[in-house]
Amino acid sequence: MEKSVRVSNGAGLIYEEKDDTLSPEDLSEMLAAGTKEVHEKAENTQFVKDFLRGRIRKELFKLGAVALYHTYAAMEEEIERNKDHPLFAPLYFPQELHRQGALARDLEYFYGPDWSSQTRCSSATQRYVDRIHQVGQEDPVLLVAHAYTRYMGDLSGGQVLKKVAQRALKLPPTGEGLEFYQFDMIHSTKAFKQLYRSRMNELEMDTETKQKLVAEAIKAFQFNMEVFDELEEMGKTIQEDVLDAGMAVHGAGGDISKCPYYAAQMAASGGTAYACQLAMAVLRHPTGQVLFAACVAALAGLAAWYLM
């Protein structure tokens, strides 16, 4: 059975698309099935799990936005270069999807007007960028895999991350710092994703080319995981106040009992278990560990003085 889908492209035009019953040979289905395992691995990286729990520090979030900026700058440069390629042209939606401008505004919000001089492309991000430029210049059809991996993810899980980040980082409700997640020209995310997948399925390509796209999409996920792991390592060097140490906030998807405000409230009312929990939360942070070590040293010195 098939049904018609009416989708606006944000410029007043309406696309009429037929949503045929999908088959395992459809490119969208092959990509979804072929990347299922690596997709789950990406979602289970420590960086992503902490993010989903609301345990994201502002400095690390800013570094993540820098990585995204360089990734999208490369991808959208290659998309513009190949926008008329017959195997990419049907997926060319610059007004609806392109993210470079939004990310530039986010970085200006976090770093100021001279953000470009304060930031740099990290090693893992550079490897990702280099691959995007390589396929854009040598085998443009593979851009379909990179566009699918990023844009479809932004329109799906990215919307969850936006809410988590806004609450955890106490960002303005008006959206500053989060424009990357806002798709103003897409009025129905579900309908647009349906349109995009149907366009992918209509691309005229043989099975071998489709398999190459699946392999490239897997590589794209792996590049993203390398960036996540790099950010996780960077996070170990960032020192912040204990309350900004990435502990979960109420309603951000984490365990409320792990929230420092909740633990403090319970401790004040006589809940010793929660007092211990708060202490453990503090000790998990480098600053807390230093303070604890200093206290232990002071007590040891006092005891030695007393016993002399």
Side-chain angles (χ1 to χ4, degrees), residues 6-308:
R6 292 175 62 81
V7 183
S8 170
N9 76 339
L13 300 177
I14 301 294
Y15 291 96
E16 188 82 20
E17 297 287 342
K18 291 183 178 179
D19 182 26
D20 297 320
T21 301
L22 296 173
S23 72
E25 290 76 30
D26 285 327
L27 179 57
S28 67
E29 293 299 288
M30 290 179 67
L31 283 167
T35 61
K36 184 176 186 296
E37 183 179 348
V38 72
H39 193 166
E40 291 175 353
K41 287 182 180 178
E43 289 177 344
N44 282 286
T45 58
Q46 193 61 46
F47 177 80
V48 174
K49 287 195 293 186
D50 285 345
F51 198 146
L52 288 170
R53 292 169 183 157
R55 301 173 64 176
I56 181 70
R57 287 171 282 177
K58 183 170 286 188
E59 285 303 314
L60 202 55
F61 183 81
K62 289 161 60 176
L63 291 174
V66 172
L68 286 170
Y69 174 82
H70 289 289
T71 300
Y72 281 90
M75 188 166 71
E76 288 163 10
E77 178 183 338
E78 295 305 329
I79 286 174
E80 287 298 321
R81 187 199 309 274
N82 295 283
K83 63 184 179 182
D84 296 322
H85 191 288
L87 292 180
F88 192 86
L91 302 177
Y92 182 62
F93 290 96
Q95 291 185 326
E96 292 83 358
L97 293 177
H98 284 195
R99 301 286 85 201
Q100 184 181 359
L103 282 161
R105 291 189 292 275
D106 287 342
L107 292 176
E108 183 173 357
Y109 171 78
F110 286 120
Y111 290 98
D114 61 339
W115 62 267
S116 60
S117 65
Q118 298 185 48
T119 61
R120 65 176 182 84
C121 184
S122 68
S123 298
T125 304
Q126 189 62 55
R127 290 191 293 273
Y128 193 3
V129 164
D130 290 344
R131 178 58 182 175
I132 291 171
H133 283 308
Q134 181 184 3
V135 302
Q137 295 168 28
E138 297 177 5
D139 198 357
V141 69
L142 296 181
L143 282 175
V144 173
H146 288 277
Y148 163 83
T149 302
R150 285 299 337 171
Y151 291 131
M152 292 300 98
D154 299 334
L155 289 171
S156 300
Q159 301 308 297
V160 176
L161 296 178
K162 174 186 176 182
K163 294 177 182 178
V164 173
Q166 190 167 48
R167 182 172 298 182
L169 302 178
K170 301 179 177 62
L171 294 173
T174 44
E176 287 90 337
L178 293 168
E179 288 194 44
F180 166 68
Y181 300 100
Q182 185 65 38
F183 292 82
D184 292 329
M185 303 299 284
I186 295 178
H187 306 300
S188 170
T189 299
K190 180 180 179 181
F192 185 86
K193 288 192 296 182
Q194 201 169 15
L195 165 65
Y196 197 88
R197 292 189 181 104
S198 71
R199 290 286 185 91
M200 289 174 59
N201 294 336
E202 291 169 2
L203 296 174
E204 295 184 6
M205 59 180 65
D206 55 28
T207 301
E208 182 181 357
T209 303
K210 292 178 182 179
Q211 290 171 344
K212 284 175 60 179
L213 281 168
V214 172
E216 189 67 25
I218 291 172
K219 286 182 182 178
F221 273 107
Q222 290 169 340
F223 280 119
N224 278 284
M225 285 191 287
E226 289 179 14
V227 173
F228 295 153
D229 290 342
E230 184 182 61
L231 287 168
E232 180 67 20
E233 287 302 309
M234 289 179 178
K236 295 176 182 178
T237 68
I238 297 174
Q239 301 293 320
E240 292 191 19
D241 293 340
V242 173
L243 293 183
D244 287 331
M247 300 178 192
V249 295
H250 294 296
D255 181 354
I256 191 173
S257 65
K258 295 178 182 177
C259 174
Y261 303 104
Y262 183 79
Q265 181 182 11
M266 294 303 295
S269 63
T272 57
Y274 285 97
C276 292
Q277 184 179 27
L278 177 59
M280 290 303 294
V282 171
L283 288 176
R284 279 195 294 269
H285 188 260
T287 303
Q289 293 167 7
V290 171
L291 291 173
F292 178 76
C295 290
V296 170
L299 288 173
L302 181 62
W305 174 82
Y306 180 78
L307 292 174
M308 280 196 304

